[in-house]
Amino acid sequence: MTHFLPEGTVKIAAQNLGVFYGEKQALHAINLDIRAGEVTALIGPSGCGKSTFLRCINRMNDMVDGARVEGSLTLDGNDIYDRGIDVVQLRARVGMVFQKPNPFPKSIYDNVAYGPRIHGMAKDQTELDEIVMNSLEKAGLLGEVEDRLSESGTSLSGGQQQRLCIARAIAVSPEIILMDEPCSALDPIATAKVEELIDELRENFTIVIVTHSMQQAARVSQRTAFFHLGKVVEMGDTEQIFTNPQHTLTQGYITGRFG
Amino acid sequence: MQTLILAGALLLMMSFAYRFGRNRVLAQVDGRPDALHSLPGYYGWWVALWCGLPAFGLLTLWLMAEPSLIRALVIGSLPSEMQALSDDQIAVLINEVRNAVLGHATANPALAMAAEHYTHLTRVGFAAMAAVALALALGGGLYAYGRLEPQLRARPRVEATVKVFLVASSTAAIFTTIGIVLSLLFEALRFFQMVPITDFLFGLGWSPQMSIRADQTGSSGAFGMVPLFTGTLLVSVVAMVVAAPLGLLAAIYMSEYAQPKVRAMAKPLLEILAGIPTVVFGFFAVITVAPMIRSLGEVFGLTVAAESALAAGLVMGITLIPLISSLSDDVITAVPQSLREGAFGLGATRSETIIQVVLPAALPGIVGGILLAVSRAIGETMIVVMAAGLSAKLTFNPLEAVTTVTVQIVTLLIGDTEFDSPKTLAAFALGLVLFGITLGLNVVALHIVQKYREKYD
């Protein structure tokens, strides 16, 4: 990937980012850096704003009536909420995997080929095949579905569906993949597979993951941000957050005393 | 009137039975409902049901049996030379007796006697029935009242009775349908005894007339339904060409693009269309649309009939827009939001999302809705009666006047009809075929919609 930055460079930066849903303020003055080539975990109790922050990065909040953003959020130094930014192109650079696996009611092949098709990424069928196979391979799904690519994506098991959704996101060659509790609808075995996959994907993509599972955050991420009541309480290396939290709120949450 | 008073009295007794039953069982446990098997109200209902059901059952039976019973008794009392008459003549006599009862004097003294007898029988019969019904209500109520005890399983019994009523209500519609089919079927069978079924199904000519005398001109009737069905088909196709795209596009706008405020305004407005009586649409077709098409046709040098399949089809299409749009709107809204987000998250635009993800997911439901609209179009009567014309021509040109199955049924049954002539009976055969087609379409449509539902629940 040509656009890939060296590990550790700031990829996404939020400065005084505030988000409102109508009158209600969901995020208060968020300052947060997300580095390239790392997995950043966002943790915190329900309703703390971590999903809202995630959905700001690819402007999925645009579709919510009455949503309003202030402050700045930049991707490679360019403001995501600038008027000149094309949302379609932004979303091609910032992929997303959702809480519940949501494969389209199409064949497995068409699910993965959907993104490349709408962005005109393949000049012929061979190239498209290549992209689809590559993406399935990277998502660790190829072996399981190779001989039934024309079957419906909804016929797969929950864990396979989620990996199909990851393959679908990868196929567009994004720089960043946002994951909104990607394992909350999966059983432990499927979860383990997806976590393993996240670790491998770190090679090529910057990943931001929202999770409710402390263990998951500890296992897959390098950096962790703890959200509480719409604010970032603490942000740091995952190891430090889990072994030596600086803030009492963080300590209370990760040891399970509240949340 | 008398019957209403009796029914009112029975209801009053039931309400007393409810109260007495409830109070008695509460008194048995010193007013502590927790010592009862069921809630106190159920005991009340149990007594009330015992009080009301047998009496109302008797009342219903009487209402059904009374006319034929009294008729038989009156006939029995007529002079023997009258009883010897044929059934038809006796029916005439009975009719005269009934008229005499209502106050029209009769010249025949025997019939005047019979009328008096008739009145007498009605009175005595009703009084006897009312007495027995009230006694039944009282007896049933007392029986249940006497059997009340705290451990009586009142709730299951009352609920079982309620269930019987629910089942009866739901089967009423089904039996009505069966009744309609049977009545159509028997009349149609009589028709097929006079006209061979193959002539009817595959005949290309339709001119429903029968001669009264053998040497009459125009004595040859033709009962081939093909021209009628091509007419129906033609009008329906025109209607669907209008309604399917407009309805679907309206639904897409309403569900995907419209702001909540616009939607709240526009949706009811669109549904007002569904509330306009079809006869008014008929006016619209005849007075406005048909002349418009005609003068438009003249501009292009086309001859358009004053009443054309196109005019009727266009207006019928407009009436079907709300049906298609509201059914499609429902299925489009039912497509999970997560699918839309999935597409948006990949950088799809709104139109790409709708065309490639939302519509394919909603397609079975939309197809089901369109099929329902087709079956409505085929059965639609008023607009085509007014605007499609009457000539049974075998044509696929929408600019000509055509006639449809429903129009022919109407014209065959209007005015004086003789129920032993194939001209009249043909209407039932047409109705039967029409019913078969729409039933088939509805079954297919419901099946498709059902299949779709299973996917996302």
Side-chain angles (χ1 to χ4, degrees), chain A:
Chain A
M1 309 244 155
T2 50
H3 48 59
F4 202 72
L5 298 167
E7 195 175 322
T9 332
V10 173
K11 186 80 182 163
I12 302 163
Q15 267 158 4
N16 278 325
L17 181 74
V19 176
F20 299 81
Y21 292 127
E23 292 297 301
K24 194 174 157 278
Q25 188 164 9
L27 287 181
H28 302 262
I30 302 291
N31 289 300
L32 198 68
D33 287 348
I34 287 165
R35 296 187 197 155
E38 284 185 350
V39 178
T40 306
L42 310 180
I43 60 170
S46 295
C48 67
K50 52 195 190 306
S51 283
T52 299
F53 178 74
L54 194 75
R55 286 162 160 267
C56 280
I57 302 175
N58 65 348
R59 290 185 54 173
M60 285 299 263
N61 283 335
D62 286 12
M63 286 184 295
V64 181
D65 287 320
R68 190 158 53 81
V69 174
E70 60 175 34
S72 95
L73 182 64
T74 58
L75 171 62
D76 292 342
N78 302 315
D79 196 334
I80 288 173
Y81 281 89
D82 191 86
R83 281 170 162 271
I85 290 281
D86 181 1
V87 178
V88 167
Q89 282 171 2
L90 172 72
R91 288 180 187 154
R93 290 175 67 190
V94 185
M96 187 156 192
V97 176
F98 296 83
Q99 186 168 0
K100 225 180 112 209
N102 57 352
F104 303 135
K106 300 171 182 283
S107 72
I108 293 171
Y109 183 93
D110 286 339
N111 259 285
V112 183
Y114 183 79
R117 276 185 181 142
I118 59 174
H119 294 295
M121 290 169 64
K123 62 175 191 290
D124 54 25
Q125 189 61 38
T126 335
E127 240 180 74
L128 189 62
D129 286 350
E130 207 173 297
I131 294 175
V132 170
M133 292 305 166
N134 253 327
S135 310
L136 284 171
E137 169 84 71
K138 276 191 210 156
L141 195 62
L142 191 60
E144 290 159 67
V145 299
E146 205 163 11
D147 48 353
R148 48 181 179 139
L149 287 175
S150 56
E151 273 178 42
S152 172
T154 48
S155 66
L156 298 173
S157 75
Q160 289 174 327
Q161 286 188 14
Q162 194 62 301
R163 279 180 285 147
L164 178 63
C165 293
I166 293 176
R168 190 174 69 184
I170 295 172
V172 193
S173 312
E175 299 155 42
I176 300 160
I177 301 177
L178 309 175
M179 298 186 171
D180 191 354
E181 295 180 49
C183 301
S184 63
L186 305 184
D187 68 40
I189 296 167
T191 301
K193 279 193 180 163
V194 172
E195 285 180 3
E196 210 176 298
L197 177 59
I198 293 172
D199 208 46
E200 287 166 17
L201 292 177
R202 185 160 63 88
E203 302 260 318
N204 297 313
F205 307 95
T206 304
I207 295 173
V208 186
I209 178 171
V210 165
T211 177
H212 272 135
S213 154
M214 298 305 119
Q215 292 90 335
Q216 186 168 70
R219 279 194 298 264
V220 301
S221 74
Q222 283 73 52
R223 305 248 296 162
T224 297
F226 173 62
F227 280 66
H228 185 61
L229 297 177
K231 296 187 176 101
V232 177
V233 174
E234 191 170 348
M235 165 90 188
D237 288 343
T238 300
E239 210 179 310
Q240 174 252 312
I241 294 274
F242 280 96
T243 53
N244 185 21
Q246 303 298 304
H247 203 287
T248 48
L249 271 175
T250 319
Q251 194 177 18
Y253 183 71
I254 61 172
T255 53
R257 251 179 285 142
F258 84 99

Side-chain angles (χ1 to χ4, degrees), chain B residues 228-289:
Chain B
L228 306 187
F229 271 85
T230 55
T232 298
L233 201 69
L234 187 59
V235 176
S236 305
V237 166
V238 174
M240 292 318 294
V241 165
V242 174
L246 282 182
L248 188 56
L249 292 177
I252 291 174
Y253 173 71
M254 293 290 177
S255 56
E256 299 289 325
Y257 287 96
Q259 299 290 318
K261 270 185 199 160
V262 178
R263 184 185 158 93
M265 287 274 291
K267 228 186 154 194
L269 281 178
L270 189 64
E271 274 156 16
I272 285 178
L273 260 188
I276 299 175
T278 50
V279 72
V280 176
F281 277 109
F283 293 147
F284 180 58
V286 175
I287 294 170
T288 315
V289 178

Side-chain angles (χ1 to χ4, degrees), chain B residues 407-419 423-428:
Chain B
V407 170
Q408 283 309 311
I409 294 177
V410 169
T411 47
L412 289 177
L413 293 181
I414 275 176
D416 288 338
T417 48
E418 1 161 22
F419 274 78
K423 178 176 179 296
T424 311
L425 292 175
F428 294 95

